[in-house]
Amino acid sequence: MPSEPASVATKMVRNAAGVKADFRAAIPTIMPDGSVITVIDLKFLRENPDVVRASQHARGEDPGLVDALLAADEERRGAIATADSLRAEQKAFGKKIGQASPEERPALLEGSNELKTKVKEAEEAQKRAEENVVKLQYAISNVIEGAPAGGEEDFEVLEHVGELPEFDFEVQDHLDLGEALGIIDMKRGTKVGGARFYYLVGDGAWMQLGMLMLAAQKAREAGFKVMVPPVLVRPEIMAGTGFLDAHDEEIYYLERDDLYLVGTSEVALAGYHRDEIIDLSDGPLLYAGWSSCFRREAGSYGKDTKGILRVHQFDKLEMFVYCKPEDAEEMHQKLLGLEREMLAAVEVPYRIIDVAAGDLGSSAARKFDTEAWVPSQDTYRELTSTSNCTTFQGRRLNTRYRDESGKTQTAATLNGTLATTRWLVAILENNQQADGSVVVPEALRPWVGKEVLTP
């Protein structure tokens, strides 16, 4: 295994067991080739501090961190200049000693020792200054790009797609339907795994497998390379994606092994090209990860306790893109377009929302959610999301590419969900019939093997 660069940031995170754990985030300040790796682009911050302050304000986060980081950056640059100057002086002094007469050397050697102490102190000051900069960089979320300001309820509805179903009978929720059909077993799931675990049985399993296979096919046809990635990742990979910034309570942590269970294959796919210079000369790199995902749902006590809307384990097909920053906005629309295609295939009405800045994860500059109509709740619930993370994750994970001049630049990353277990909620409820049967969407019938599921 290659050794990590020596200059790294230490971050305190709270693991799933509620225990404080130190780990080396492995985000170097200075790479061996001399390039500087940052979380927030310091050059952009210096030139556009008001933009970053406005982003922090729109997210409901502390804009004062911007000024703190600017001051820390100034201190870091001063510390680097001081250490460089002293090292140069030490080098010149060494030459002077080599040329000195035997009589002059004792006094010069004493001065050399004093200079050596000054150099050591300056290097320690430089290290502290660099670590302070990285610490503050980790505290500032990605700069939003076009997201509306506000919190969870301040999203903007961009579009409604499909007709809401009308029923002339009493609507059942997905769990009542699933249990009557024999395709969802929550009771035995709870017996085996505890609350928020379940079994998908028979046609329920085939419906999920069919949905994910359909998503994988659509991804492949759109140029994505389908992958089955690891579901356990090292701390620096989880930190690199931004999930430990605000969502560490939602993540399962295996303390004995110092590994995290992923809540989305985005994490493993983001780490795939860590510390690499990738080739984007022929266009973006497109991946689609099929994996089980795990979430503690620590902040959801009492919410969605019935059924499979909010569970600890589920399967998902996640799209992931590496591209040049100037291509990110176009790729974001492409991911949203693929989500549209998939939702049309499973025949559920939905709406698209532009998520407000205060409801974005720290890595996302903008996010679109698609929310399906859930008849039993008389409301829309999230099925998919697609996020443009710009260069935020690329900087943390040191993923770069060469531009036309051969200079290395930070790659942008994006992600989007193409299918996941909770889609079954919308499929069952929107396609239910008066006798408790459910019409299987035509696109899923080759896998399910039936047109209608009957109690």
mmCIF file of all heavy atoms in Angstrom, residues 250-278:
data_model
loop_
_atom_site.group_PDB
_atom_site.id
_atom_site.type_symbol
_atom_site.label_atom_id
_atom_site.label_comp_id
_atom_site.label_asym_id
_atom_site.label_seq_id
_atom_site.Cartn_x
_atom_site.Cartn_y
_atom_site.Cartn_z
ATOM 1 N N GLU A 250 -26.006 9.380 10.871
ATOM 2 C CA GLU A 250 -26.816 8.483 10.042
ATOM 3 C C GLU A 250 -26.021 7.285 9.538
ATOM 4 O O GLU A 250 -26.579 6.405 8.879
ATOM 5 C CB GLU A 250 -27.379 9.254 8.837
ATOM 6 C CG GLU A 250 -28.327 10.381 9.199
ATOM 7 C CD GLU A 250 -29.535 9.877 9.963
ATOM 8 O OE1 GLU A 250 -30.080 8.817 9.597
ATOM 9 O OE2 GLU A 250 -29.922 10.525 10.953
ATOM 10 N N ILE A 251 -24.731 7.253 9.837
ATOM 11 C CA ILE A 251 -23.858 6.260 9.222
ATOM 12 C C ILE A 251 -23.479 5.178 10.224
ATOM 13 O O ILE A 251 -23.147 5.463 11.377
ATOM 14 C CB ILE A 251 -22.579 6.941 8.689
ATOM 15 C CG1 ILE A 251 -22.948 8.030 7.680
ATOM 16 C CG2 ILE A 251 -21.659 5.924 8.034
ATOM 17 C CD1 ILE A 251 -21.787 8.921 7.304
ATOM 18 N N TYR A 252 -23.513 3.945 9.771
ATOM 19 C CA TYR A 252 -23.047 2.829 10.588
ATOM 20 C C TYR A 252 -21.521 2.772 10.555
ATOM 21 O O TYR A 252 -20.917 2.761 9.482
ATOM 22 C CB TYR A 252 -23.611 1.504 10.059
ATOM 23 C CG TYR A 252 -25.063 1.267 10.400
ATOM 24 C CD1 TYR A 252 -26.063 1.454 9.441
ATOM 25 C CD2 TYR A 252 -25.447 0.832 11.666
ATOM 26 C CE1 TYR A 252 -27.394 1.222 9.742
ATOM 27 C CE2 TYR A 252 -26.777 0.602 11.972
ATOM 28 C CZ TYR A 252 -27.743 0.796 11.016
ATOM 29 O OH TYR A 252 -29.071 0.568 11.314
ATOM 30 N N TYR A 253 -20.925 2.728 11.751
ATOM 31 C CA TYR A 253 -19.473 2.697 11.870
ATOM 32 C C TYR A 253 -19.060 1.407 12.564
ATOM 33 O O TYR A 253 -19.583 1.067 13.630
ATOM 34 C CB TYR A 253 -18.991 3.906 12.671
ATOM 35 C CG TYR A 253 -17.506 3.909 12.960
ATOM 36 C CD1 TYR A 253 -16.588 3.921 11.908
ATOM 37 C CD2 TYR A 253 -17.025 3.916 14.257
ATOM 38 C CE1 TYR A 253 -15.225 3.940 12.166
ATOM 39 C CE2 TYR A 253 -15.659 3.934 14.522
ATOM 40 C CZ TYR A 253 -14.764 3.944 13.472
ATOM 41 O OH TYR A 253 -13.416 3.958 13.719
ATOM 42 N N LEU A 254 -18.132 0.670 11.959
ATOM 43 C CA LEU A 254 -17.597 -0.562 12.530
ATOM 44 C C LEU A 254 -16.281 -0.220 13.218
ATOM 45 O O LEU A 254 -15.218 -0.189 12.591
ATOM 46 C CB LEU A 254 -17.380 -1.622 11.447
ATOM 47 C CG LEU A 254 -18.635 -2.370 10.946
ATOM 48 C CD1 LEU A 254 -19.584 -1.429 10.212
ATOM 49 C CD2 LEU A 254 -18.227 -3.514 10.037
ATOM 50 N N GLU A 255 -16.374 0.065 14.513
ATOM 51 C CA GLU A 255 -15.216 0.579 15.244
ATOM 52 C C GLU A 255 -14.056 -0.413 15.244
ATOM 53 O O GLU A 255 -12.892 -0.025 15.140
ATOM 54 C CB GLU A 255 -15.634 0.908 16.678
ATOM 55 C CG GLU A 255 -14.555 1.602 17.481
ATOM 56 C CD GLU A 255 -15.066 2.096 18.819
ATOM 57 O OE1 GLU A 255 -16.221 1.777 19.172
ATOM 58 O OE2 GLU A 255 -14.317 2.788 19.510
ATOM 59 N N ARG A 256 -14.349 -1.688 15.358
ATOM 60 C CA ARG A 256 -13.287 -2.693 15.423
ATOM 61 C C ARG A 256 -12.423 -2.683 14.169
ATOM 62 O O ARG A 256 -11.219 -2.927 14.216
ATOM 63 C CB ARG A 256 -13.901 -4.077 15.634
ATOM 64 C CG ARG A 256 -12.878 -5.200 15.726
ATOM 65 C CD ARG A 256 -13.534 -6.538 15.985
ATOM 66 N NE ARG A 256 -14.194 -6.561 17.292
ATOM 67 C CZ ARG A 256 -14.857 -7.624 17.771
ATOM 68 N NH1 ARG A 256 -14.964 -8.724 17.036
ATOM 69 N NH2 ARG A 256 -15.423 -7.580 18.954
ATOM 70 N N ASP A 257 -13.043 -2.390 13.033
ATOM 71 C CA ASP A 257 -12.322 -2.411 11.753
ATOM 72 C C ASP A 257 -12.036 -1.020 11.200
ATOM 73 O O ASP A 257 -11.379 -0.895 10.158
ATOM 74 C CB ASP A 257 -13.134 -3.201 10.720
ATOM 75 C CG ASP A 257 -13.415 -4.615 11.173
ATOM 76 O OD1 ASP A 257 -12.448 -5.376 11.300
ATOM 77 O OD2 ASP A 257 -14.581 -4.950 11.423
ATOM 78 N N ASP A 258 -12.559 0.022 11.858
ATOM 79 C CA ASP A 258 -12.401 1.396 11.384
ATOM 80 C C ASP A 258 -12.907 1.534 9.946
ATOM 81 O O ASP A 258 -12.237 2.085 9.070
ATOM 82 C CB ASP A 258 -10.943 1.848 11.483
ATOM 83 C CG ASP A 258 -10.799 3.367 11.353
ATOM 84 O OD1 ASP A 258 -11.779 4.079 11.636
ATOM 85 O OD2 ASP A 258 -9.713 3.838 10.954
ATOM 86 N N LEU A 259 -14.111 1.028 9.732
ATOM 87 C CA LEU A 259 -14.752 1.086 8.415
ATOM 88 C C LEU A 259 -16.193 1.578 8.572
ATOM 89 O O LEU A 259 -16.812 1.392 9.628
ATOM 90 C CB LEU A 259 -14.750 -0.288 7.740
ATOM 91 C CG LEU A 259 -13.395 -0.858 7.334
ATOM 92 C CD1 LEU A 259 -13.549 -2.306 6.897
ATOM 93 C CD2 LEU A 259 -12.776 -0.032 6.210
ATOM 94 N N TYR A 260 -16.699 2.171 7.497
ATOM 95 C CA TYR A 260 -18.075 2.669 7.483
ATOM 96 C C TYR A 260 -18.901 1.904 6.451
ATOM 97 O O TYR A 260 -18.423 1.605 5.355
ATOM 98 C CB TYR A 260 -18.111 4.156 7.126
ATOM 99 C CG TYR A 260 -17.598 5.065 8.208
ATOM 100 C CD1 TYR A 260 -16.241 5.370 8.302
ATOM 101 C CD2 TYR A 260 -18.467 5.634 9.132
ATOM 102 C CE1 TYR A 260 -15.768 6.212 9.291
ATOM 103 C CE2 TYR A 260 -18.000 6.485 10.122
ATOM 104 C CZ TYR A 260 -16.648 6.765 10.208
ATOM 105 O OH TYR A 260 -16.186 7.608 11.182
ATOM 106 N N LEU A 261 -20.151 1.618 6.812
ATOM 107 C CA LEU A 261 -21.107 1.083 5.846
ATOM 108 C C LEU A 261 -21.682 2.253 5.050
ATOM 109 O O LEU A 261 -22.085 3.270 5.631
ATOM 110 C CB LEU A 261 -22.245 0.343 6.550
ATOM 111 C CG LEU A 261 -21.956 -1.090 6.999
ATOM 112 C CD1 LEU A 261 -23.032 -1.564 7.974
ATOM 113 C CD2 LEU A 261 -21.911 -2.021 5.783
ATOM 114 N N VAL A 262 -21.736 2.125 3.741
ATOM 115 C CA VAL A 262 -22.182 3.231 2.901
ATOM 116 C C VAL A 262 -23.705 3.380 2.952
ATOM 117 O O VAL A 262 -24.438 2.406 3.073
ATOM 118 C CB VAL A 262 -21.729 3.059 1.434
ATOM 119 C CG1 VAL A 262 -20.223 2.994 1.349
ATOM 120 C CG2 VAL A 262 -22.374 1.826 0.797
ATOM 121 N N GLY A 263 -24.157 4.620 2.861
ATOM 122 C CA GLY A 263 -25.584 4.895 2.729
ATOM 123 C C GLY A 263 -25.986 5.063 1.286
ATOM 124 O O GLY A 263 -27.160 5.209 0.960
ATOM 125 N N THR A 264 -24.990 5.043 0.403
ATOM 126 C CA THR A 264 -25.187 5.144 -1.040
ATOM 127 C C THR A 264 -23.889 4.728 -1.708
ATOM 128 O O THR A 264 -22.800 4.984 -1.172
ATOM 129 C CB THR A 264 -25.561 6.576 -1.465
ATOM 130 O OG1 THR A 264 -25.451 6.697 -2.890
ATOM 131 C CG2 THR A 264 -24.658 7.614 -0.817
ATOM 132 N N SER A 265 -23.989 4.103 -2.877
ATOM 133 C CA SER A 265 -22.763 3.714 -3.578
ATOM 134 C C SER A 265 -22.022 4.916 -4.137
ATOM 135 O O SER A 265 -20.897 4.791 -4.627
ATOM 136 C CB SER A 265 -23.074 2.713 -4.696
ATOM 137 O OG SER A 265 -23.983 3.254 -5.621
ATOM 138 N N GLU A 266 -22.622 6.105 -4.046
ATOM 139 C CA GLU A 266 -21.908 7.340 -4.388
ATOM 140 C C GLU A 266 -20.562 7.403 -3.671
ATOM 141 O O GLU A 266 -19.561 7.850 -4.233
ATOM 142 C CB GLU A 266 -22.759 8.547 -3.992
ATOM 143 C CG GLU A 266 -22.042 9.880 -4.073
ATOM 144 C CD GLU A 266 -22.785 10.990 -3.357
ATOM 145 O OE1 GLU A 266 -23.987 10.833 -3.066
ATOM 146 O OE2 GLU A 266 -22.155 12.028 -3.085
ATOM 147 N N VAL A 267 -20.536 6.942 -2.420
ATOM 148 C CA VAL A 267 -19.313 7.043 -1.617
ATOM 149 C C VAL A 267 -18.190 6.218 -2.234
ATOM 150 O O VAL A 267 -17.071 6.708 -2.439
ATOM 151 C CB VAL A 267 -19.582 6.600 -0.168
ATOM 152 C CG1 VAL A 267 -18.294 6.665 0.653
ATOM 153 C CG2 VAL A 267 -20.677 7.450 0.462
ATOM 154 N N ALA A 268 -18.472 4.963 -2.511
ATOM 155 C CA ALA A 268 -17.445 4.100 -3.088
ATOM 156 C C ALA A 268 -17.061 4.548 -4.496
ATOM 157 O O ALA A 268 -15.886 4.460 -4.886
ATOM 158 C CB ALA A 268 -17.937 2.651 -3.113
ATOM 159 N N LEU A 269 -18.017 5.034 -5.259
ATOM 160 C CA LEU A 269 -17.715 5.494 -6.616
ATOM 161 C C LEU A 269 -16.903 6.781 -6.591
ATOM 162 O O LEU A 269 -16.043 7.008 -7.449
ATOM 163 C CB LEU A 269 -19.008 5.687 -7.402
ATOM 164 C CG LEU A 269 -19.826 4.410 -7.652
ATOM 165 C CD1 LEU A 269 -21.114 4.736 -8.386
ATOM 166 C CD2 LEU A 269 -19.018 3.375 -8.430
ATOM 167 N N ALA A 270 -17.156 7.640 -5.611
ATOM 168 C CA ALA A 270 -16.356 8.861 -5.472
ATOM 169 C C ALA A 270 -14.921 8.533 -5.102
ATOM 170 O O ALA A 270 -13.983 9.241 -5.490
ATOM 171 C CB ALA A 270 -16.973 9.776 -4.418
ATOM 172 N N GLY A 271 -14.729 7.445 -4.354
ATOM 173 C CA GLY A 271 -13.383 7.052 -3.962
ATOM 174 C C GLY A 271 -12.647 6.248 -5.005
ATOM 175 O O GLY A 271 -11.435 6.005 -4.868
ATOM 176 N N TYR A 272 -13.332 5.839 -6.058
ATOM 177 C CA TYR A 272 -12.754 4.961 -7.077
ATOM 178 C C TYR A 272 -11.495 5.559 -7.696
ATOM 179 O O TYR A 272 -10.508 4.858 -7.947
ATOM 180 C CB TYR A 272 -13.813 4.677 -8.141
ATOM 181 C CG TYR A 272 -13.453 3.622 -9.149
ATOM 182 C CD1 TYR A 272 -13.218 2.312 -8.756
ATOM 183 C CD2 TYR A 272 -13.382 3.926 -10.500
ATOM 184 C CE1 TYR A 272 -12.907 1.328 -9.676
ATOM 185 C CE2 TYR A 272 -13.076 2.946 -11.437
ATOM 186 C CZ TYR A 272 -12.843 1.652 -11.028
ATOM 187 O OH TYR A 272 -12.530 0.680 -11.950
ATOM 188 N N HIS A 273 -11.531 6.862 -7.957
ATOM 189 C CA HIS A 273 -10.391 7.526 -8.595
ATOM 190 C C HIS A 273 -9.662 8.455 -7.626
ATOM 191 O O HIS A 273 -9.034 9.439 -8.052
ATOM 192 C CB HIS A 273 -10.847 8.310 -9.822
ATOM 193 C CG HIS A 273 -11.237 7.449 -10.978
ATOM 194 N ND1 HIS A 273 -10.359 6.566 -11.562
ATOM 195 C CD2 HIS A 273 -12.414 7.328 -11.653
ATOM 196 C CE1 HIS A 273 -10.975 5.935 -12.566
ATOM 197 N NE2 HIS A 273 -12.216 6.371 -12.634
ATOM 198 N N ARG A 274 -9.708 8.164 -6.341
ATOM 199 C CA ARG A 274 -8.989 8.975 -5.373
ATOM 200 C C ARG A 274 -7.486 8.964 -5.677
ATOM 201 O O ARG A 274 -6.917 7.937 -6.041
ATOM 202 C CB ARG A 274 -9.222 8.428 -3.964
ATOM 203 C CG ARG A 274 -8.488 9.213 -2.892
ATOM 204 C CD ARG A 274 -8.516 8.481 -1.576
ATOM 205 N NE ARG A 274 -7.677 9.180 -0.605
ATOM 206 C CZ ARG A 274 -6.998 8.602 0.357
ATOM 207 N NH1 ARG A 274 -7.049 7.294 0.506
ATOM 208 N NH2 ARG A 274 -6.259 9.304 1.193
ATOM 209 N N ASP A 275 -6.869 10.146 -5.553
ATOM 210 C CA ASP A 275 -5.428 10.309 -5.780
ATOM 211 C C ASP A 275 -5.013 9.908 -7.195
ATOM 212 O O ASP A 275 -3.896 9.438 -7.404
ATOM 213 C CB ASP A 275 -4.615 9.500 -4.757
ATOM 214 C CG ASP A 275 -4.729 10.058 -3.351
ATOM 215 O OD1 ASP A 275 -5.000 11.260 -3.222
ATOM 216 O OD2 ASP A 275 -4.549 9.282 -2.387
ATOM 217 N N GLU A 276 -5.901 10.102 -8.156
ATOM 218 C CA GLU A 276 -5.588 9.767 -9.553
ATOM 219 C C GLU A 276 -5.762 10.989 -10.445
ATOM 220 O O GLU A 276 -6.529 11.910 -10.138
ATOM 221 C CB GLU A 276 -6.506 8.652 -10.057
ATOM 222 C CG GLU A 276 -6.297 7.305 -9.372
ATOM 223 C CD GLU A 276 -7.210 6.219 -9.953
ATOM 224 O OE1 GLU A 276 -7.700 6.406 -11.095
ATOM 225 O OE2 GLU A 276 -7.444 5.217 -9.267
ATOM 226 N N ILE A 277 -5.038 10.970 -11.554
ATOM 227 C CA ILE A 277 -5.275 11.918 -12.646
ATOM 228 C C ILE A 277 -6.009 11.140 -13.727
ATOM 229 O O ILE A 277 -5.446 10.224 -14.330
ATOM 230 C CB ILE A 277 -3.965 12.505 -13.180
ATOM 231 C CG1 ILE A 277 -3.247 13.288 -12.069
ATOM 232 C CG2 ILE A 277 -4.238 13.421 -14.369
ATOM 233 C CD1 ILE A 277 -1.888 13.831 -12.474
ATOM 234 N N ILE A 278 -7.272 11.454 -13.930
ATOM 235 C CA ILE A 278 -8.112 10.686 -14.848
ATOM 236 C C ILE A 278 -8.121 11.333 -16.226
ATOM 237 O O ILE A 278 -7.809 12.513 -16.384
ATOM 238 C CB ILE A 278 -9.553 10.551 -14.306
ATOM 239 C CG1 ILE A 278 -10.186 11.928 -14.080
ATOM 240 C CG2 ILE A 278 -9.547 9.754 -13.005
ATOM 241 C CD1 ILE A 278 -11.626 11.869 -13.591
#
